[in-house]
PDB file of all heavy atoms in Angstrom:
ATOM      1  N   SER G 292      30.876  -4.236  18.835  1.00 98.00           N
ATOM      2  CA  SER G 292      31.242  -4.430  17.391  1.00 98.00           C
ATOM      3  C   SER G 292      31.805  -5.843  17.271  1.00 98.00           C
ATOM      4  O   SER G 292      31.527  -6.562  16.240  1.00 98.00           O
ATOM      5  CB  SER G 292      32.346  -3.516  17.159  1.00 98.00           C
ATOM      6  OG  SER G 292      32.071  -2.172  17.189  1.00 98.00           O
ATOM      7  N   GLU G 293      32.581  -6.273  18.264  1.00 98.00           N
ATOM      8  CA  GLU G 293      33.260  -7.608  18.221  1.00 98.00           C
ATOM      9  C   GLU G 293      32.103  -8.758  18.284  1.00 98.00           C
ATOM     10  O   GLU G 293      32.165  -9.681  17.635  1.00 98.00           O
ATOM     11  CB  GLU G 293      34.268  -7.741  19.327  1.00 98.00           C
ATOM     12  CG  GLU G 293      34.964  -8.965  19.315  1.00 98.00           C
ATOM     13  CD  GLU G 293      35.731  -9.313  17.943  1.00 98.00           C
ATOM     14  OE1 GLU G 293      36.027  -8.287  17.182  1.00 98.00           O
ATOM     15  OE2 GLU G 293      35.679 -10.493  17.528  1.00 98.00           O
ATOM     16  N   GLY G 294      31.247  -8.510  19.069  1.00 98.00           N
ATOM     17  CA  GLY G 294      30.072  -9.519  19.235  1.00 98.00           C
ATOM     18  C   GLY G 294      29.300  -9.476  17.887  1.00 98.00           C
ATOM     19  O   GLY G 294      28.936 -10.638  17.556  1.00 98.00           O
ATOM     20  N   LEU G 295      29.132  -8.355  17.148  1.00 98.00           N
ATOM     21  CA  LEU G 295      28.425  -8.406  15.898  1.00 98.00           C
ATOM     22  C   LEU G 295      29.353  -9.223  14.831  1.00 98.00           C
ATOM     23  O   LEU G 295      28.739  -9.944  14.070  1.00 98.00           O
ATOM     24  CB  LEU G 295      28.182  -7.012  15.494  1.00 98.00           C
ATOM     25  CG  LEU G 295      27.161  -6.182  16.253  1.00 98.00           C
ATOM     26  CD1 LEU G 295      27.069  -4.693  15.851  1.00 98.00           C
ATOM     27  CD2 LEU G 295      25.819  -6.823  16.329  1.00 98.00           C
ATOM     28  N   ARG G 296      30.672  -8.926  14.956  1.00 98.00           N
ATOM     29  CA  ARG G 296      31.555  -9.743  14.112  1.00 98.00           C
ATOM     30  C   ARG G 296      31.456 -11.269  14.353  1.00 98.00           C
ATOM     31  O   ARG G 296      31.308 -12.078  13.347  1.00 98.00           O
ATOM     32  CB  ARG G 296      32.951  -9.254  14.202  1.00 98.00           C
ATOM     33  CG  ARG G 296      33.927  -9.465  13.093  1.00 98.00           C
ATOM     34  CD  ARG G 296      35.347  -8.929  13.380  1.00 98.00           C
ATOM     35  NE  ARG G 296      35.328  -7.574  14.010  1.00 98.00           N
ATOM     36  CZ  ARG G 296      35.216  -6.451  13.387  1.00 98.00           C
ATOM     37  NH1 ARG G 296      35.078  -6.462  12.035  1.00 98.00           N
ATOM     38  NH2 ARG G 296      35.261  -5.283  13.919  1.00 98.00           N
ATOM     39  N   GLN G 297      31.479 -11.656  15.534  1.00 98.00           N
ATOM     40  CA  GLN G 297      31.295 -13.026  15.924  1.00 98.00           C
ATOM     41  C   GLN G 297      29.856 -13.566  15.393  1.00 98.00           C
ATOM     42  O   GLN G 297      29.816 -14.792  14.966  1.00 98.00           O
ATOM     43  CB  GLN G 297      31.455 -13.218  17.438  1.00 98.00           C
ATOM     44  CG  GLN G 297      32.628 -12.833  18.100  1.00 98.00           C
ATOM     45  CD  GLN G 297      33.756 -13.852  17.877  1.00 98.00           C
ATOM     46  OE1 GLN G 297      33.431 -15.018  17.719  1.00 98.00           O
ATOM     47  NE2 GLN G 297      34.947 -13.427  17.915  1.00 98.00           N
ATOM     48  N   LYS G 298      28.966 -12.814  15.365  1.00 98.00           N
ATOM     49  CA  LYS G 298      27.557 -13.267  14.988  1.00 98.00           C
ATOM     50  C   LYS G 298      27.652 -13.397  13.533  1.00 98.00           C
ATOM     51  O   LYS G 298      26.704 -13.986  12.950  1.00 98.00           O
ATOM     52  CB  LYS G 298      26.541 -12.241  15.448  1.00 98.00           C
ATOM     53  CG  LYS G 298      25.136 -12.334  15.073  1.00 98.00           C
ATOM     54  CD  LYS G 298      24.602 -13.822  15.539  1.00 98.00           C
ATOM     55  CE  LYS G 298      23.239 -14.137  14.785  1.00 98.00           C
ATOM     56  NZ  LYS G 298      22.727 -15.435  15.274  1.00 98.00           N
ATOM     57  N   GLY G 299      28.540 -12.855  12.712  1.00 98.00           N
ATOM     58  CA  GLY G 299      28.615 -12.968  11.465  1.00 98.00           C
ATOM     59  C   GLY G 299      28.349 -11.895  10.463  1.00 98.00           C
ATOM     60  O   GLY G 299      28.227 -11.876   9.261  1.00 98.00           O
ATOM     61  N   PHE G 300      28.208 -10.599  11.087  1.00 98.00           N
ATOM     62  CA  PHE G 300      27.870  -9.440  10.348  1.00 98.00           C
ATOM     63  C   PHE G 300      29.226  -8.963   9.655  1.00 98.00           C
ATOM     64  O   PHE G 300      30.262  -9.300  10.098  1.00 98.00           O
ATOM     65  CB  PHE G 300      27.506  -8.190  11.282  1.00 98.00           C
ATOM     66  CG  PHE G 300      25.911  -8.352  11.820  1.00 98.00           C
ATOM     67  CD1 PHE G 300      25.646  -8.782  13.041  1.00 98.00           C
ATOM     68  CD2 PHE G 300      25.029  -7.919  10.927  1.00 98.00           C
ATOM     69  CE1 PHE G 300      24.455  -8.877  13.418  1.00 98.00           C
ATOM     70  CE2 PHE G 300      23.669  -7.993  11.252  1.00 98.00           C
ATOM     71  CZ  PHE G 300      23.446  -8.531  12.603  1.00 98.00           C
ATOM     72  N   SER G 301      29.008  -8.486   8.418  1.00 98.00           N
ATOM     73  CA  SER G 301      30.135  -7.965   7.645  1.00 98.00           C
ATOM     74  C   SER G 301      30.657  -6.720   8.223  1.00 98.00           C
ATOM     75  O   SER G 301      29.962  -5.927   9.044  1.00 98.00           O
ATOM     76  CB  SER G 301      29.858  -7.766   6.235  1.00 98.00           C
ATOM     77  OG  SER G 301      28.935  -6.689   6.000  1.00 98.00           O
ATOM     78  N   GLN G 302      31.788  -6.216   7.792  1.00 98.00           N
ATOM     79  CA  GLN G 302      32.396  -4.965   8.292  1.00 98.00           C
ATOM     80  C   GLN G 302      31.439  -3.836   7.999  1.00 98.00           C
ATOM     81  O   GLN G 302      31.116  -2.960   8.737  1.00 98.00           O
ATOM     82  CB  GLN G 302      33.742  -4.751   7.699  1.00 98.00           C
ATOM     83  CG  GLN G 302      34.441  -3.428   8.064  1.00 98.00           C
ATOM     84  CD  GLN G 302      34.711  -3.311   9.539  1.00 98.00           C
ATOM     85  OE1 GLN G 302      34.887  -4.354  10.192  1.00 98.00           O
ATOM     86  NE2 GLN G 302      34.884  -2.200  10.112  1.00 98.00           N
ATOM     87  N   GLU G 303      30.977  -3.933   6.675  1.00 98.00           N
ATOM     88  CA  GLU G 303      30.073  -2.783   6.222  1.00 98.00           C
ATOM     89  C   GLU G 303      28.761  -2.776   7.105  1.00 98.00           C
ATOM     90  O   GLU G 303      28.322  -1.609   7.565  1.00 98.00           O
ATOM     91  CB  GLU G 303      29.693  -2.944   4.836  1.00 98.00           C
ATOM     92  CG  GLU G 303      28.916  -1.787   4.157  1.00 98.00           C
ATOM     93  CD  GLU G 303      28.391  -2.060   2.837  1.00 98.00           C
ATOM     94  OE1 GLU G 303      28.641  -3.124   2.244  1.00 98.00           O
ATOM     95  OE2 GLU G 303      27.411  -1.168   2.362  1.00 98.00           O
ATOM     96  N   GLU G 304      28.288  -3.943   7.358  1.00 98.00           N
ATOM     97  CA  GLU G 304      27.017  -4.064   8.181  1.00 98.00           C
ATOM     98  C   GLU G 304      27.327  -3.555   9.614  1.00 98.00           C
ATOM     99  O   GLU G 304      26.408  -2.801  10.218  1.00 98.00           O
ATOM    100  CB  GLU G 304      26.499  -5.519   8.216  1.00 98.00           C
ATOM    101  CG  GLU G 304      26.075  -5.964   6.957  1.00 98.00           C
ATOM    102  CD  GLU G 304      25.758  -7.568   6.937  1.00 98.00           C
ATOM    103  OE1 GLU G 304      26.404  -8.188   7.701  1.00 98.00           O
ATOM    104  OE2 GLU G 304      24.732  -7.879   6.136  1.00 98.00           O
ATOM    105  N   ILE G 305      28.456  -3.839  10.245  1.00 98.00           N
ATOM    106  CA  ILE G 305      28.726  -3.429  11.580  1.00 98.00           C
ATOM    107  C   ILE G 305      28.904  -1.983  11.608  1.00 98.00           C
ATOM    108  O   ILE G 305      28.349  -1.328  12.434  1.00 98.00           O
ATOM    109  CB  ILE G 305      30.089  -4.058  12.029  1.00 98.00           C
ATOM    110  CG1 ILE G 305      29.913  -5.606  12.127  1.00 98.00           C
ATOM    111  CG2 ILE G 305      30.598  -3.572  13.420  1.00 98.00           C
ATOM    112  CD1 ILE G 305      31.145  -6.363  12.289  1.00 98.00           C
ATOM    113  N   GLU G 306      29.569  -1.327  10.537  1.00 98.00           N
ATOM    114  CA  GLU G 306      29.685   0.164  10.509  1.00 98.00           C
ATOM    115  C   GLU G 306      28.312   0.757  10.419  1.00 98.00           C
ATOM    116  O   GLU G 306      28.183   1.833  11.005  1.00 98.00           O
ATOM    117  CB  GLU G 306      30.579   0.459   9.293  1.00 98.00           C
ATOM    118  CG  GLU G 306      31.984   0.032   9.630  1.00 98.00           C
ATOM    119  CD  GLU G 306      33.002   0.742   8.581  1.00 98.00           C
ATOM    120  OE1 GLU G 306      32.560   1.525   7.790  1.00 98.00           O
ATOM    121  OE2 GLU G 306      34.240   0.388   8.806  1.00 98.00           O
ATOM    122  N   LYS G 307      27.364   0.249   9.712  1.00 98.00           N
ATOM    123  CA  LYS G 307      26.011   0.768   9.614  1.00 98.00           C
ATOM    124  C   LYS G 307      25.417   0.799  10.967  1.00 98.00           C
ATOM    125  O   LYS G 307      24.849   1.800  11.408  1.00 98.00           O
ATOM    126  CB  LYS G 307      25.216  -0.023   8.658  1.00 98.00           C
ATOM    127  CG  LYS G 307      25.575   0.378   7.160  1.00 98.00           C
ATOM    128  CD  LYS G 307      24.546  -0.396   6.242  1.00 98.00           C
ATOM    129  CE  LYS G 307      24.687   0.173   4.805  1.00 98.00           C
ATOM    130  NZ  LYS G 307      23.789  -0.469   3.844  1.00 98.00           N
ATOM    131  N   ILE G 308      25.445  -0.395  11.645  1.00 98.00           N
ATOM    132  CA  ILE G 308      24.780  -0.545  12.998  1.00 98.00           C
ATOM    133  C   ILE G 308      25.453   0.372  14.129  1.00 98.00           C
ATOM    134  O   ILE G 308      24.819   1.001  14.817  1.00 98.00           O
ATOM    135  CB  ILE G 308      24.836  -1.965  13.331  1.00 98.00           C
ATOM    136  CG1 ILE G 308      24.125  -2.956  12.476  1.00 98.00           C
ATOM    137  CG2 ILE G 308      24.325  -2.204  14.831  1.00 98.00           C
ATOM    138  CD1 ILE G 308      24.227  -4.411  12.658  1.00 98.00           C
ATOM    139  N   MET G 309      26.789   0.389  14.042  1.00 98.00           N
ATOM    140  CA  MET G 309      27.486   1.216  15.064  1.00 98.00           C
ATOM    141  C   MET G 309      27.446   2.711  15.009  1.00 98.00           C
ATOM    142  O   MET G 309      27.682   3.391  15.815  1.00 98.00           O
ATOM    143  CB  MET G 309      28.942   0.731  14.993  1.00 98.00           C
ATOM    144  CG  MET G 309      29.171  -0.720  15.511  1.00 98.00           C
ATOM    145  SD  MET G 309      28.397  -1.164  17.221  1.00 98.00           S
ATOM    146  CE  MET G 309      29.428  -0.162  18.276  1.00 98.00           C
ATOM    147  N   GLY G 310      27.050   3.151  13.729  1.00 98.00           N
ATOM    148  CA  GLY G 310      27.014   4.643  13.613  1.00 98.00           C
ATOM    149  C   GLY G 310      26.605   5.253  12.246  1.00 98.00           C
ATOM    150  O   GLY G 310      25.964   6.233  12.326  1.00 98.00           O
ATOM    151  N   ARG G 311      26.879   4.444  11.167  1.00 98.00           N
ATOM    152  CA  ARG G 311      26.526   5.106   9.820  1.00 98.00           C
ATOM    153  C   ARG G 311      25.107   5.287   9.732  1.00 98.00           C
ATOM    154  O   ARG G 311      24.569   6.282   9.094  1.00 98.00           O
ATOM    155  CB  ARG G 311      27.081   4.134   8.713  1.00 98.00           C
ATOM    156  CG  ARG G 311      28.546   4.122   8.495  1.00 98.00           C
ATOM    157  CD  ARG G 311      29.033   5.345   7.806  1.00 98.00           C
ATOM    158  NE  ARG G 311      30.476   5.546   8.000  1.00 98.00           N
ATOM    159  CZ  ARG G 311      31.131   6.808   7.872  1.00 98.00           C
ATOM    160  NH1 ARG G 311      30.536   7.784   7.477  1.00 98.00           N
ATOM    161  NH2 ARG G 311      32.421   6.776   8.151  1.00 98.00           N
ATOM    162  N   ASN G 312      24.260   4.358  10.277  1.00 98.00           N
ATOM    163  CA  ASN G 312      22.649   4.631  10.095  1.00 98.00           C
ATOM    164  C   ASN G 312      22.266   5.725  10.792  1.00 98.00           C
ATOM    165  O   ASN G 312      21.343   6.493  10.444  1.00 98.00           O
ATOM    166  CB  ASN G 312      22.067   3.302  10.542  1.00 98.00           C
ATOM    167  CG  ASN G 312      22.158   2.170   9.539  1.00 98.00           C
ATOM    168  OD1 ASN G 312      22.540   2.326   8.373  1.00 98.00           O
ATOM    169  ND2 ASN G 312      21.810   0.943   9.899  1.00 98.00           N
ATOM    170  N   TRP G 313      22.822   5.953  12.040  1.00 98.00           N
ATOM    171  CA  TRP G 313      22.610   7.178  12.816  1.00 98.00           C
ATOM    172  C   TRP G 313      22.874   8.403  11.954  1.00 98.00           C
ATOM    173  O   TRP G 313      22.103   9.299  12.054  1.00 98.00           O
ATOM    174  CB  TRP G 313      23.118   7.043  14.180  1.00 98.00           C
ATOM    175  CG  TRP G 313      22.204   6.693  15.289  1.00 98.00           C
ATOM    176  CD1 TRP G 313      22.195   5.475  15.979  1.00 98.00           C
ATOM    177  CD2 TRP G 313      21.100   7.361  15.855  1.00 98.00           C
ATOM    178  NE1 TRP G 313      21.192   5.362  16.905  1.00 98.00           N
ATOM    179  CE2 TRP G 313      20.590   6.647  16.926  1.00 98.00           C
ATOM    180  CE3 TRP G 313      20.482   8.628  15.496  1.00 98.00           C
ATOM    181  CZ2 TRP G 313      19.437   7.040  17.566  1.00 98.00           C
ATOM    182  CZ3 TRP G 313      19.333   9.028  16.193  1.00 98.00           C
ATOM    183  CH2 TRP G 313      18.852   8.235  17.304  1.00 98.00           C
ATOM    184  N   LEU G 314      24.018   8.468  11.545  1.00 98.00           N
ATOM    185  CA  LEU G 314      24.528   9.577  10.816  1.00 98.00           C
ATOM    186  C   LEU G 314      23.540  10.015   9.586  1.00 98.00           C
ATOM    187  O   LEU G 314      23.092  10.998   9.464  1.00 98.00           O
ATOM    188  CB  LEU G 314      25.929   9.436  10.197  1.00 98.00           C
ATOM    189  CG  LEU G 314      26.549  10.637   9.483  1.00 98.00           C
ATOM    190  CD1 LEU G 314      26.552  11.849  10.318  1.00 98.00           C
ATOM    191  CD2 LEU G 314      27.798  10.174   8.986  1.00 98.00           C
ATOM    192  N   GLN G 315      23.025   8.799   8.936  1.00 98.00           N
ATOM    193  CA  GLN G 315      22.212   8.966   7.767  1.00 98.00           C
ATOM    194  C   GLN G 315      20.855   9.599   8.341  1.00 98.00           C
ATOM    195  O   GLN G 315      20.227  10.474   7.725  1.00 98.00           O
ATOM    196  CB  GLN G 315      21.975   7.718   7.147  1.00 98.00           C
ATOM    197  CG  GLN G 315      21.014   7.667   6.008  1.00 98.00           C
ATOM    198  CD  GLN G 315      21.513   8.528   4.797  1.00 98.00           C
ATOM    199  OE1 GLN G 315      22.570   9.081   4.774  1.00 98.00           O
ATOM    200  NE2 GLN G 315      20.613   8.912   3.900  1.00 98.00           N
ATOM    201  N   GLN G 316      20.331   9.177   9.518  1.00 98.00           N
ATOM    202  CA  GLN G 316      19.126   9.512  10.012  1.00 98.00           C
ATOM    203  C   GLN G 316      19.236  11.138  10.347  1.00 98.00           C
ATOM    204  O   GLN G 316      18.256  11.844  10.171  1.00 98.00           O
ATOM    205  CB  GLN G 316      18.773   8.915  11.409  1.00 98.00           C
ATOM    206  CG  GLN G 316      18.111   7.593  11.183  1.00 98.00           C
ATOM    207  CD  GLN G 316      16.890   7.609  10.553  1.00 98.00           C
ATOM    208  OE1 GLN G 316      16.045   8.392  10.695  1.00 98.00           O
ATOM    209  NE2 GLN G 316      16.709   6.658   9.580  1.00 98.00           N
TER     210      GLN G 316
END
Side-chain angles (χ1 to χ4, degrees):
Chain G
S292 303
E293 185 51 32
L295 296 172
R296 200 178 318 276
Q297 296 284 337
K298 177 65 191 170
F300 284 101
S301 71
Q302 179 64 24
E303 190 192 347
E304 289 169 334
I305 295 169
E306 292 195 0
K307 284 185 173 185
I308 297 168
M309 294 305 293
R311 290 280 161 203
N312 287 343
W313 258 111
L314 183 62
Q315 181 62 12
Q316 281 301 316

